[in-house]
Amino acid sequence: MEEHVSRRRWPLVVLTSSPFHGHMTPTLQLATALHAKGFPIAIAHSNLNPPNPSNHPSDFTFLPLSDNNLSTIEKYASFTDFISALNQNCKASFKEHLTRLIMSQGNKSIVVIFDNVMHFARIVAVDMNIPAIVFRSTSAAYFPAFLARLQIRQQGRFLEEDFAMQEIVPNYHPLRYKDLPFSTSPVEEWKQLVSNFSQQAHPSAIIWNTIKFLEHESLTQIHNHLQVPVFAIGPLHKIKPSSYVSSHQVDTSCITWLDKQPPKSVVYISFGSLATMDAKVLTEMAWGLAKSNQRFLWALRPGLVCGLEWLELLPEGFVGETRERGLIVKWAPQKDVLAHFAVGGFWSHCGWNSCLESISSGVVMICQPFSVDQGVNARYMSYVWKIGLELEQVEREEIRRMIKRVMVDEEGEEMRVRVNGMKEMVKEAVGNSGSSQESLEGLVNFILSR
Ligand code: UDP
């Protein structure tokens, strides 16, 4: 939108930002994109991992939610317990903020966009007659996988006990049982999770951080299932590049190190902001990497192994043996790393942001999924789009073979050609008249028509 159009006539968009890094980043990118279109923006956030206002336009309003001292996720028995506490603790405070905003500008001039894990915002908004749009930062393909998983639980069966994990789930090709989200949560909890973003929960629309050409089929399934407008406006980091919003200390020295490495010679390794593993897995990874003889940059987040301060759980001799060709940092500037000429492959947990960033930079993946949508994403990266290989067995010799296939063999080169083609398609999608830009325009008009 042109700057001369007065922002006061546009509704205030109140976005909820969740404490998870992988959710918060795209939410803030979405806020920046809508702000550039002309909307005034308010960000409601928990006090756990709050966004830093100084990284954002000065006219963003920040609405801290009294979250009753919400603890970090590790303090809860399960992910679901943490989400319940987040929703219970923040609801009253969000309602107070909205009440105050309505008193100053009326409910016709407010629209809420809520992160799907912060469904308290939808309940409050709908109660106050304010349109509530859900924002999803997972892959769209996760949605059908989630439904498949619910069906299995409703039949009283357990994924882990009752199925051959390598078999395709009937009616859910290409997903195998092993790709579905793992959880032993009771059926009622699954139903609640589904209803949080289903039709009964009345989202006015869904915004998805994905791209039409990539997930057309899943997006159509979602539209048919929920019967509300679906806006695929990703990848948001390309729609509105913005400064890093990380609460982690970013170690940029790795870029200087990468500058000195030959083109496409370095494997970048990162498992995102939440995944955890046991020490044995870390040991196998380290020795597989050492045996591969390839250069590497490892973003080894403290806390990746429970109780790990940092490097002390790496096997003895590993750092000395690989010092000449490897660098380990705590937190890397991932988007810059993936865009660097020296990076030839990305060994990843397949979080959706990491997948989008890898595809946008034309980097092939070694996929080692852990939880949530990562199994689904890994399946698409490896089996459907054929731009990655899935590591099925975390064992040093298998890892050595996998790194060689991706970094050295013809197979890796063929995947690289494919992913570079996709990188060009991403550029088109986010360019003028591209599908993601058109969806963003559609979203703007949708909000204005409320
Ligand atoms: N990231 C980063 N540096 C790191 C590790 C991760 O900047 O060393 C960023 C990465 O670019 C991505 C996000 O953290 O935007 C991780 O999100 P993703 O969805 O891949 O995984 P999650 O953390 O949600 O499991």
Side-chain angles (χ1 to χ4, degrees):
M1 201 212 56
E2 304 301 327
E3 273 304 312
H4 64 263
V5 177
S6 160
R7 290 199 169 168
R8 275 182 307 164
R9 294 206 313 271
W10 289 55
L12 171 69
V13 179
V14 181
L15 297 104
T16 64
S17 164
S18 104
F20 301 123
H21 182 83
H23 287 224
M24 186 199 294
T25 309
T27 302
L28 294 170
Q29 287 159 347
L30 172 62
T32 312
L34 291 172
H35 180 260
K37 292 284 177 191
F39 292 102
I41 297 292
I43 308 285
H45 60 86
S46 65
N47 289 318
L48 180 68
N49 296 338
N52 180 351
S54 67
N55 289 334
H56 302 283
S58 56
D59 58 344
F60 270 28
T61 305
F62 286 84
L63 307 171
L65 299 168
S66 310
D67 59 12
N68 295 320
N69 295 326
L70 190 69
S71 305
T72 51
I73 190 162
E74 303 82 45
K75 303 266 163 59
Y76 292 85
S78 69
F79 182 75
T80 320
D81 284 357
F82 174 80
I83 298 297
S84 297
L86 173 72
N87 280 280
Q88 273 163 25
N89 294 10
C90 294
K91 189 174 171 188
S93 179
F94 186 67
K95 190 169 182 177
E96 280 166 26
H97 281 301
L98 279 195
T99 307
R100 196 175 36 75
L101 289 169
I102 288 172
M103 280 187 350
S104 65
Q105 52 194 90
N107 62 354
K108 287 275 176 285
S109 56
I110 299 173
V111 168
V112 166
I113 297 182
F114 65 100
D115 180 302
N116 70 292
V117 298
M118 299 176 88
H119 38 87
F120 67 84
R122 177 194 56 75
I123 298 166
V124 172
V126 170
D127 272 359
M128 293 176 141
N129 213 10
I130 292 174
I133 302 173
V134 63
F135 173 57
R136 306 270 318 172
S137 49
T138 63
S139 59
Y142 182 51
F143 184 81
F146 202 80
L147 293 181
R149 189 70 180 81
L150 175 68
Q151 265 177 19
I152 288 169
R153 284 301 283 117
Q154 277 175 327
Q155 291 160 2
R157 299 202 286 173
F158 287 91
L159 199 54
E160 303 76 1
E161 293 165 11
D162 298 332
F163 297 95
M165 297 302 271
Q166 292 288 348
E167 275 175 19
I168 300 276
V169 186
N171 303 322
Y172 287 94
H173 184 87
L175 299 176
R176 298 160 299 181
Y177 287 103
K178 80 184 279 274
D179 304 320
L180 299 182
F182 262 75
S183 161
T184 47
S185 303
V187 177
E188 283 315 310
E189 228 168 75
W190 275 93
K191 277 191 185 160
Q192 184 58 46
L193 287 168
V194 170
S195 89
N196 288 337
F197 55 93
S198 74
Q199 199 177 13
Q200 294 91 317
H202 301 299
S204 314
I206 307 181
I207 305 168
W208 225 291
N209 187 19
T210 190
I211 323 161
K212 266 190 194 153
F213 82 83
L214 207 55
E215 297 209 276
H216 188 264
E217 224 171 280
S218 302
L219 288 164
T220 307
Q221 273 177 13
I222 291 162
H223 178 70
N224 292 343
H225 188 86
L226 300 180
Q227 295 292 314
V228 293
V230 179
F231 300 102
I233 60 168
L236 277 159
H237 73 283
K238 287 286 174 190
I239 286 281
K240 203 66 206 164
S242 48
S243 57
Y244 278 100
V245 294
S246 180
S247 50
H248 299 259
Q249 188 79 35
V250 182
D251 187 341
T252 51
S253 67
C254 57
I255 299 294
T256 318
W257 182 83
L258 284 174
D259 289 343
K260 296 184 197 126
Q261 311 306 318
K264 304 264 174 269
S265 66
V266 175
V267 187
Y268 168 60
I269 307 142
S270 162
F271 290 148
S273 61
L274 287 172
T276 52
M277 58 177 62
D278 63 35
K280 190 172 171 305
V281 173
L282 188 81
T283 302
E284 290 304 308
M285 285 180 65
W287 285 129
L289 199 52
K291 277 160 150 282
S292 79
N293 255 330
Q294 294 296 308
R295 291 177 166 81
F296 66 86
L297 167 61
W298 193 347
L300 209 166
R301 174 174 50 81
L304 179 66
V305 174
C306 264
L308 168 76
E309 273 303 316
W310 197 33
L311 299 181
E312 77 278 11
L313 275 185
L314 280 170
E316 211 182 317
F318 170 77
V319 173
E321 191 169 314
T322 58
R323 182 166 287 128
E324 295 300 312
R325 57 189 166 79
L327 181 67
I328 305 176
V329 297
K330 290 181 177 167
W331 189 262
Q334 182 163 303
K335 289 190 268 295
D336 297 338
V337 166
L338 289 170
H340 198 284
F341 68 83
V343 172
F346 181 13
W347 181 0
S348 165
H349 70 313
C350 289
W352 187 237
N353 292 293
S354 293
C355 293
L356 287 176
E357 290 161 13
S358 206
I359 293 170
S360 309
S361 301
V363 177
V364 296
M365 267 196 182
I366 294 172
C367 307
Q368 187 183 336
F370 285 70
S371 60
V372 213
D373 62 339
Q374 296 153 19
V376 175
N377 302 344
R379 180 68 167 162
Y380 274 79
M381 294 295 286
S382 56
Y383 180 81
V384 180
W385 303 323
K386 301 191 187 331
I387 53 174
L389 296 176
E390 185 171 347
L391 182 66
E392 306 250 3
Q393 218 193 334
V394 188
E395 181 275 318
R396 60 191 75 179
E397 183 49 29
E398 179 59 15
I399 291 170
R400 184 199 65 77
R401 265 198 300 272
M402 204 52 113
I403 295 177
K404 180 170 169 290
R405 282 170 69 188
V406 167
M407 298 299 287
V408 182
D409 292 355
E410 186 57 29
E411 191 180 4
E413 213 33 56
E414 286 164 10
M415 289 194 292
R416 213 159 276 124
V417 171
R418 273 192 290 275
V419 76
N420 273 317
M422 291 171 95
K423 174 183 167 181
E424 293 308 311
M425 289 166 82
V426 170
K427 274 192 202 154
E428 270 176 44
V430 298
N432 284 341
S433 322
S435 69
S436 295
Q437 288 291 355
E438 279 186 353
S439 284
L440 181 59
E441 266 328 299
L443 173 64
V444 169
N445 292 330
F446 181 82
I447 295 174
L448 291 175
S449 69
R450 299 286 91 195

